[in-house]
Amino acid sequence: MVEEKLNTRGCVFSLLYSVGSFALACASLSTLDPSDRITVQKGALLISLGFVYFVALTEFLNQLLLRTTIGHSFVKRYRLRVSDVLDITNKLVSAVQAAFSCIAGLFVCRWSCPRNFLHASHFLSESYAWFAASYFFYDLWSMYKIYAAEAALKLKVKLGLQSPAAGENNNQGGGRNGTAKGDDAAGNGGMEKAATLQALEDIPSVAQGTLSFVTPCKLGIPSFAKYLASHPLMVFHHLFIGSYGLVVISYLRGGLGDCVFSFMFMMELSTPFVSFRSILSVMGLKQSKLYVINGLVMLVTFFWCRVFLMPYVCYYYSQVVNKPFLEAVWNLPWGCKVSILALFLPQLYWFRLMVRGAMKVFFPPKNKRNTTIAANSCANEQEASANGGPIKASQSKDSEIRSLM
């Protein structure tokens, strides 16, 4: 029975749904001329296919990690919990969306900007706005599932329904010392498969009562509405881009400024590095060189694409209209100025957090550094002695940066 449940059929179906929905979205645009506009009917089709694509891609990645031998080995090696797996898949989907956004932005930029900064238009800017809008709504629910999985784990440990060791390492099972043979090895294999199936059952869902839109869930897990209320900045960021951004790109701009919005799409260039940083943290690799290198690349790309790019686009516009920078910006419609501030100010806040984090890594206080090294050394020795092997670094998450997905 275990072998049957561990097959990859569901994994393949999810992949087919994901690839198929994306292929249909591309096919629906194949007959358009570059300057064509996207109708409401076609936009509704694109946003529907976007929901299918991102949900199916997430399901595929979850099943890849929890229902395949390779995925199970990865989960076991890095001692991941269910919430960790959900977090990793969330970040991977975020990186995929960011890559699509950059490709669309680059294509539109190369088409529209050389022709006419204000009046040239390409259908890809509107079509991808429709397709990607679904991601920002889906992502709110995806992050809520991670939050619910973490909350459920803590509550189970608190109520004595699950041991703290299992809470820290939900998929370890037996065989950590690697010395079991014969019947012991077979028993450990069965325990590992059972742990994988239990992990799948532990993924929060509405059907199990561990997810809810308004009312509290089982074990007192907060509802989706309460989760949104407790994360206002993240909710504003997603709703602003997913709803207001779509309306602006599709209708309010009146077909103007396609070149400007292509730069906005390319602001997502830093997101894959933000996502990879979080994934490395979940895997316990915060002390690795790869984590440091990725952090530096993330810092540079974030500054270039999200902090520097907005003033540059305004400067580009001032050159096109042949006015001084401040005068050109001041003469923009109030809606444009408010939108620029709403998009730009959160980037400054997040960049400040990133710089502070980088300063702590490269220039830690001397006393704190010595204390941390001593504490980590002591903790590692105790854990190694208790478990017969070394442990990985802390799996602390960067919750302040999660809203950049």
Side-chain angles (χ1 to χ4, degrees):
M1 185 66 177
V2 171
E3 291 289 347
E4 181 180 352
K5 288 188 177 181
L6 283 175
N7 67 57
T8 59
R9 182 178 302 174
C11 186
V12 173
F13 282 156
S14 298
L15 179 61
L16 290 177
Y17 275 117
S18 180
V19 174
S21 59
F22 185 76
L24 286 175
C26 294
S28 68
L29 305 174
S30 60
T31 59
L32 298 179
D33 292 326
S35 59
D36 285 347
R37 303 292 299 275
I38 301 298
T39 63
V40 175
Q41 292 80 2
K42 191 175 289 292
L45 173 64
L46 289 171
I47 198 171
S48 300
L49 291 173
F51 271 114
V52 174
Y53 174 78
F54 290 115
V55 172
L57 180 60
T58 302
E59 183 66 16
F60 163 71
L61 293 172
N62 283 336
Q63 296 201 33
L64 180 66
L65 289 176
L66 293 172
R67 278 198 169 179
T68 64
T69 303
I70 296 176
H72 188 213
S73 299
F74 176 81
V75 169
K76 180 182 177 183
R77 177 179 179 181
Y78 293 103
R79 306 172 64 182
L80 302 178
R81 306 165 300 170
V82 175
S83 58
D84 295 329
V85 172
L86 296 179
D87 199 9
I88 288 175
T89 57
N90 175 276
K91 299 301 187 296
L92 289 175
V93 173
S94 176
V96 169
Q97 188 282 137
F100 285 162
S101 179
C102 290
I103 293 172
L106 181 62
F107 194 91
V108 173
C109 182
R110 290 176 61 88
W111 171 270
S112 298
C113 295
R115 286 169 171 78
N116 191 297
F117 181 84
L118 291 176
H119 298 283
S121 180
H122 194 282
F123 69 81
L124 191 58
S125 61
E126 291 185 4
S127 59
Y128 187 72
W130 280 101
F131 186 83
S134 59
Y135 163 79
F136 292 97
F137 297 113
Y138 139 85
D139 194 46
L140 290 174
W141 183 257
S142 177
M143 288 190 289
Y144 170 58
K145 288 181 68 174
I146 301 169
Y147 174 81
E150 293 177 346
L153 187 59
K154 292 178 182 178
L155 288 169
K156 286 180 180 180
V157 172
K158 185 176 181 180
L159 296 174
L161 301 177
Q162 188 168 341
S163 66
E168 294 176 0
N169 185 10
N170 203 41
N171 294 292
Q172 281 297 294
R176 287 186 59 183
N177 297 330
T179 58
K181 297 180 181 180
D183 294 338
D184 290 339
N188 288 336
M191 291 174 63
E192 291 170 4
K193 292 177 181 178
T196 301
L197 296 179
Q198 182 62 40
L200 282 172
E201 294 174 358
D202 286 343
I203 294 179
S205 67
V206 176
Q208 294 179 357
T210 48
L211 293 180
S212 173
F213 290 97
V214 179
T215 59
C217 312
K218 287 182 179 179
L219 301 176
I221 298 174
S223 65
F224 184 51
K226 188 172 182 179
Y227 169 75
L228 295 181
S230 62
H231 297 77
L233 181 59
M234 178 268 296
V235 173
F236 171 78
H237 173 266
H238 279 60
L239 294 183
F240 178 81
I241 296 178
S243 57
Y244 180 71
L246 172 62
V247 173
V248 169
I249 294 177
S250 301
Y251 296 103
L252 295 184
R253 69 186 179 105
L256 300 175
D258 211 46
C259 180
V260 174
F261 289 104
S262 70
F263 285 106
M264 301 302 102
F265 284 146
M266 289 188 287
M267 287 176 66
E268 291 289 322
L269 180 62
S270 63
T271 300
F273 302 103
V274 175
S275 297
F276 191 45
R277 178 176 184 263
S278 181
I279 291 173
L280 291 174
S281 176
V282 170
M283 293 168 60
L285 299 177
K286 293 186 71 172
Q287 306 302 322
S288 65
K289 291 183 179 179
L290 182 60
Y291 182 87
V292 175
I293 294 173
N294 178 79
L296 290 174
V297 176
M298 177 195 71
L299 201 63
V300 172
T301 55
F302 193 94
F303 172 79
W304 184 260
C305 298
R306 299 203 177 210
V307 177
F308 172 78
L309 188 61
M310 187 73 71
Y312 170 75
V313 172
C314 293
Y315 171 77
Y316 191 176
Y317 169 73
S318 70
Q319 296 299 301
V320 171
V321 297
N322 196 24
K323 291 182 179 180
F325 177 82
L326 294 179
E327 181 182 350
V329 174
W330 182 255
N331 289 334
L332 287 171
W334 276 103
C336 292
K337 288 184 281 191
V338 171
S339 299
I340 290 173
L341 288 176
L343 187 62
F344 185 59
L345 292 181
Q347 314 306 326
L348 293 178
Y349 170 73
W350 288 318
F351 184 69
R352 172 177 168 270
L353 293 179
M354 291 180 179
V355 172
R356 288 178 59 185
M359 295 296 291
K360 290 179 181 179
V361 171
F362 292 103
F363 305 103
K366 186 175 181 180
N367 293 336
K368 183 177 180 180
R369 179 176 56 195
N370 294 336
T371 302
T372 302
I373 292 174
N376 288 342
S377 176
C378 181
N380 289 343
E381 290 176 1
Q382 292 176 355
E383 183 71 16
S385 176
N387 296 323
I391 64 169
K392 65 177 183 177
S394 170
Q395 291 187 353
S396 61
K397 312 236 181 356
D398 302 308
S399 58
E400 293 283 357
I401 310 298
R402 281 185 176 177
S403 55
L404 295 179
M405 308 173 259

